[in-house]
Amino acid sequence: TDGLSDGIQFLDLLALSSGKAISELSAISKTSARITNLRYALSGILGLPQENSLTVLWNDFLSNHLLYLAQKARGKEPTEVFANFNQSFVYFTKLFKAMPEGRICAQATKWFCVELYSLAKEAEQIGKKGTYINEAVRSVQQLFAACQSSTLEAPGSKLFCAIFCTNALFKIFFSLDMIQACQTPLKWVMQNEDKIHIEYYPMSTQVTFKYFSGRMALYQMDIVKAEEDLQFAFQHCHKNAHKNRKLIIRYLIPAKLMLGTYPAEELLKKFKLKEYIGITQAVKSGNLKKFSEQLDIYEESFISKGVYLVMDKLRTVAYRNLFKKIVKILSIPDNRLKIDEIDKVLATLLPPPLDPLETECILANMIHQGLIKAYISHEKRIMIMSKVNPFPKLREIYILSLIHISEPTRPRLISYAVFCLKKK
């Protein structure tokens, strides 16, 4: 076996955590042909003479990594283990940069990124907060930059390893509540998706990427994109990975609700997501009082999961469903709805009741966003609705108009022009 084959086999075996196979490859005897090949594996990867000085880099990487394996096996302090592994990661990045296109170690790259994040979390438990996770960020970003240097399409190019770095950065930034920092790697991936080809990756890698990109879209209120990515992640997540499926659906449900799709109560009970049961019922029925109660009860839970702002915006959908129900009950023949009639209904549902101007503002806000196809005669206090589909589907509104729904807050001094109030 030549040095190149041994080197790549060694790195991939690291990724597979095959201790026995690693021991066989890295025989202790310095005179063995096997360890000699390992010592000069970098030269083989580079296509350089075996006496090239870069072989020192390979030796440094190998000695550091074997030391990390020994430390971990002996149960050393997590901070010590992380420090040594992080140094191995730095050497691996240098090796990665030196590798020519077509000589990448995808499995090893993925494993190194996952292991670095895991060890950083362990070190954070006993060490100085922020120190180890920030070191991990810097190390992964350096490897990510090395991936970006390729101009060839994946697979086979260094670009193929970019998604592994992106997923690692996603995990770190979300754990630190630095969601905005995810925008940089995500933007780069989106700009190069025609070269990266996400469909070529293992399904587990695709699911991880779609989960975080979906959460990022939800954070930015790009609801259609959020639902699309999170739905993909949920459908393709392994059926036995119940914990991961619950994690995904926890963020998929708010996106579904914003688009007017209501999950079955059985599904919510299956994944023990009781916080969504009452609020789903309230939004669907337009029960504003129940919506406010449920939002208050589970406020802390929604905040801790990072979905409170999205859930609060569902108040708009609840209002819309209520107005839709009122129109249906009143059976208006000429599509002219007196706002006074709406005031009477809202007075029974909202303590304290809204004043007349507030009701108009809520309706006008919805008209402005395309949630209701109508216009308001402020003088006559009448809402004249379209005879054709006055309540378009929420999904169509997002797709066709690219509208981001904002909650109908109680009015401030806002121009009637903004609210599309039309005097007649």
Side-chain angles (χ1 to χ4, degrees), residues 187-223:
K187 183 179 179 180
W188 183 87
V189 171
M190 292 297 99
Q191 290 174 342
N192 294 274
E193 59 183 345
D194 58 329
K195 294 181 180 179
I196 293 176
H197 300 291
I198 186 70
E199 67 273 12
Y200 292 157
Y201 290 82
M203 188 52 68
S204 60
T205 301
Q206 293 186 49
V207 167
T208 301
F209 178 77
K210 291 292 186 179
Y211 164 71
F212 283 111
S213 63
R215 283 193 61 182
M216 188 68 186
L218 190 65
Y219 170 78
Q220 296 174 327
M221 286 303 294
D222 188 348
I223 303 300

Side-chain angles (χ1 to χ4, degrees), residues 167-378:
N167 284 347
L169 290 172
F170 280 163
K171 290 178 181 179
I172 294 171
F173 289 142
F174 270 90
S175 70
L176 295 173
D177 289 328
M178 296 172 57
I179 302 177
Q180 276 297 114
C182 295
Q183 188 61 31
T184 300
L186 180 61
K187 183 179 179 180
W188 183 87
V189 171
M190 292 297 99
Q191 290 174 342
N192 294 274
E193 59 183 345
D194 58 329
K195 294 181 180 179
I196 293 176
H197 300 291
I198 186 70
E199 67 273 12
Y200 292 157
Y201 290 82
M203 188 52 68
S204 60
T205 301
Q206 293 186 49
V207 167
T208 301
F209 178 77
K210 291 292 186 179
Y211 164 71
F212 283 111
S213 63
R215 283 193 61 182
M216 188 68 186
L218 190 65
Y219 170 78
Q220 296 174 327
M221 286 303 294
D222 188 348
I223 303 300
V224 174
K225 173 67 173 172
E227 191 224 20
E228 178 184 329
D229 287 356
L230 290 169
Q231 185 70 40
F232 178 95
F234 184 73
Q235 289 179 342
H236 293 88
C237 185
H238 196 284
K239 63 180 181 180
N240 294 330
H242 185 80
K243 183 178 179 180
N244 288 342
R245 285 167 63 83
K246 179 178 179 179
L247 192 62
I248 296 168
I249 201 171
R250 188 188 299 278
Y251 297 96
L252 177 58
I253 289 172
K256 290 282 189 184
L257 291 174
M258 289 293 288
L259 293 174
T261 302
Y262 307 101
E265 187 172 332
E266 293 76 15
L267 179 68
L268 300 177
K269 288 180 177 179
K270 175 184 176 181
F271 287 97
K272 298 179 180 180
L273 296 170
K274 62 178 183 178
E275 65 268 29
Y276 288 118
I277 295 176
I279 208 160
T280 297
Q281 295 170 346
V283 172
K284 186 176 182 180
S285 62
N287 190 330
L288 300 172
K289 182 178 180 181
K290 184 175 182 179
F291 177 87
S292 296
E293 291 173 350
Q294 291 294 307
L295 194 63
D296 288 342
I297 292 172
Y298 295 106
E299 177 181 358
E300 196 171 311
S301 174
F302 290 144
I303 291 174
S304 66
K305 299 301 185 296
V307 297
Y308 180 81
L309 293 179
V310 182
M311 300 305 294
D312 191 42
K313 289 177 185 295
L314 284 170
R315 193 185 309 274
T316 302
V317 182
Y319 267 110
R320 181 180 183 271
N321 289 340
L322 174 62
F323 294 150
K324 189 176 181 180
K325 185 181 292 186
I326 292 173
V327 170
K328 186 176 181 180
I329 292 174
L330 295 178
S331 300
I332 306 165
D334 56 358
N335 282 31
R336 291 172 174 263
L337 178 62
K338 294 181 179 180
I339 297 177
D340 290 338
E341 297 292 335
I342 299 177
D343 287 334
K344 293 177 183 178
V345 176
L346 294 180
T348 64
L349 299 175
L350 294 175
L354 303 178
D355 65 42
L357 179 59
E358 287 181 296
T359 305
E360 273 191 62
C361 286
I362 291 172
L363 288 169
N365 188 29
M366 294 180 135
I367 294 170
H368 176 65
Q369 296 177 61
L371 298 173
I372 303 176
K373 293 164 66 175
Y375 67 89
I376 294 175
S377 171
H378 174 62

Side-chain angles (χ1 to χ4, degrees), residues 109-176:
T109 304
K110 178 181 178 181
W111 180 81
F112 266 91
C113 289
V114 172
E115 186 73 357
L116 185 68
Y117 171 64
S118 177
L119 293 174
K121 285 201 305 181
E122 292 178 16
E124 289 280 317
Q125 299 299 317
I126 64 170
K128 185 178 179 181
K129 297 294 182 182
T131 301
Y132 306 97
I133 205 74
N134 285 326
E135 284 187 34
V137 169
R138 286 191 291 271
S139 296
V140 176
Q141 285 177 330
Q142 289 176 0
L143 182 56
F144 185 52
C147 298
Q148 293 174 285
S149 65
S150 176
T151 57
L152 302 178
E153 289 189 21
S157 75
K158 294 179 183 180
L159 281 178
F160 189 75
C161 298
I163 293 294
F164 303 135
C165 297
T166 301
N167 284 347
L169 290 172
F170 280 163
K171 290 178 181 179
I172 294 171
F173 289 142
F174 270 90
S175 70
L176 295 173

